[in-house]
C-alpha cells in the first residue's frame, strides 16, 4: 500500500517483495544488571533475521573483586561469542566487544561470563546488529585513561565499518569523533555510562583517530574504549 507520504506500509515495496535490508550497523537493545555475579539478559531484541547477521555485544562491568577480572564464556542467542577486543585494568572494571553470527530469530538471551566476578557485579550492555560485514575483525584497538576524553587509531578497508564502545564513570554522556553514536545511556543509578557508535567508510582509512569525549568536559573520569573495523562481505 502506498502511503500519503510516499512510503510503503507493512515493510513492503512495489511488487510485494520485502523492504531492502542494506549492509550496516544498527542499535537494537540495551540493559543493565545490578549485583549479579552471573549476568544474564533475557528476551532482547535482535532485529530482523538474516543469513549474514552478526550480533555485536558492547559490554561493561565493574565488580568488587580485589584482583583482575576478565570476560569469559559470553553467549549470544545460544551461540558462543568471540571476543573481538577488551580494555581491562589491573583492577575490576572492563569494557569488551563480543561478536556472534546469529542468522535466525528476532530475539534471544545474552549470558556474560565474568571471571573473578566478586560478590557484586554491575554490568551494562549495548547490543548492535551488523549485516553485510565479516564477523572477523579487520583491525582492533583498545585502551583506558583517566581524563575527559580518550582516542585510539584504527585502519578500515574500503566499504568497511568501524564500531566502537566506551565505558565511563560519571553522570554525563559521550560525544564521538569519526563514528556516529548509536546508543548512550547511564546505568547503576546514573553513576556510570555506556555508549556505542559506528560508521561505514566508502574509502579505505589508515590510522583514523576515534575519540570518545565526556559531553561538556567537566571533571576527569575513567574511560575504557574498544574499537574494531570489519571488512565488507
Amino acid at each position: 500500500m502506498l502511503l500519503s507520504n510516499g512510503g510503503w506500509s507493512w515493510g513492503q515495496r512495489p511488487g510485494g517483495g520485502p523492504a531492502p535490508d542494506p549492509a550496516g550497523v544498527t542499535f537494537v537493545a540495551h540493559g543493565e544488571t545490578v549485583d549479579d555475579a552471573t549476568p544474564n539478559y533475557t528476551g532482547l531484541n535482535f532485529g530482523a533475521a538474516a543469513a549474514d547477521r552478526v550480533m555485536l555485544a558492547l559490554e561493561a562491568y565493574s565488580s568488587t573483586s580485589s584482583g583482575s577480572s576478565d570476560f569469559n564464556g559470553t553467549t549470544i542467542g545460544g551461540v558462543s561469542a568471540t571476543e573481538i577486543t577488551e580494555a581491562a585494568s589491573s583492577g575490576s572494571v572492563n569494557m569488551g566487544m563480543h561478536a556472534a553470527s546469529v542468522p535466525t530469530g528476532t530475539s534471544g538471551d545474552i549470558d556474560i561470563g565474568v571471571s573473578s566476578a566478586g560478590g557484586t557485579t554491575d554490568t551494562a550492555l549495548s547490543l548492535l546488529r551488523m549485516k553485510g560485514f565479516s564477523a572477523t575483525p579487520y583491525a582492533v584497538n583498545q585502551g583506558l585513561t583517566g581524563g575527559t576524553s580518550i582516542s585510539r587509531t584504527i585502519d578500515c578497508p574500503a566499504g568497511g565499518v568501524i564500531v566502537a564502545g566506551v565505558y565511563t564513570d560519571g553522570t554525563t554522556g559521550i560525544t564521538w569523533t569519526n563514528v556516529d553514536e548509536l546508543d548512550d545511556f547511564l546505568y547503576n543509578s546514573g553513576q556510570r555510562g555506556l555508549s556505542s557508535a559506528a560508521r561505514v567508510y566508502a574509502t579505505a582509512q589508515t590510522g583514523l583517530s576515534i575519540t570518545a569525549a565526556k559531553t561538556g568536559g567537566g571533571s576527569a573520569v575513567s574511560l575504557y574504549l574498544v574499537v574494531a573495523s570489519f571488512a565488507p562481505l
Side-chain angles (χ1 to χ4, degrees):
M1 178 188 297
L2 180 64
L3 302 178
S4 60
N5 64 4
W8 294 85
S9 67
W10 307 312
Q12 300 291 307
R13 57 185 174 130
D21 187 12
V25 178
T26 54
F27 163 75
V28 289
H30 71 213
E32 66 174 297
T33 65
V34 179
D35 293 351
D36 188 349
T38 57
N40 171 258
Y41 295 83
T42 60
L44 293 184
N45 178 33
F46 281 8
D52 57 349
R53 183 180 67 181
V54 176
M55 303 306 300
L56 294 173
L58 286 298
E59 309 149 317
Y61 77 78
S62 58
S63 82
T64 57
S65 173
S66 59
S68 178
S69 300
D70 194 15
F71 288 109
N72 64 12
T74 293
T75 62
I76 302 175
V79 178
S80 180
T82 299
E83 182 175 288
I84 301 300
T85 187
E86 179 179 355
S89 70
S90 60
S92 55
V93 175
N94 281 27
M95 175 73 204
M97 182 189 302
H98 288 77
S101 295
V102 187
T104 61
T106 58
S107 64
D109 300 345
I110 295 182
D111 299 304
I112 301 176
V114 181
S115 65
S116 303
T120 60
T121 300
D122 299 329
T123 73
L125 168 73
S126 182
L127 185 63
L128 308 180
R129 175 186 186 266
M130 183 169 72
K131 183 182 183 296
F133 300 93
S134 172
T136 301
Y138 178 85
V140 300
N141 207 339
Q142 53 78 28
L144 56 100
T145 190
T148 58
S149 67
I150 184 171
S151 298
R152 289 296 184 271
T153 60
I154 196 159
D155 299 341
C156 182
V161 65
I162 297 174
V163 180
V166 69
Y167 159 90
T168 176
D169 50 30
T171 58
T172 65
I174 291 294
T175 299
W176 291 95
T177 301
N178 290 329
V179 283
D180 304 308
E181 182 179 286
L182 297 173
D183 185 27
D184 191 0
F185 72 104
L186 297 176
Y187 68 101
N188 193 217
S189 301
Q191 299 179 72
R192 299 181 173 92
L194 177 64
S195 183
S196 59
R199 182 181 294 179
V200 175
Y201 278 90
T203 59
Q205 304 294 314
T206 302
L208 182 69
S209 180
I210 305 299
T211 299
K214 185 180 176 184
T215 302
S219 59
V221 296
S222 296
L223 296 140
Y224 291 66
L225 175 69
V226 293
V227 58
S229 62
F230 302 86
L233 295 175

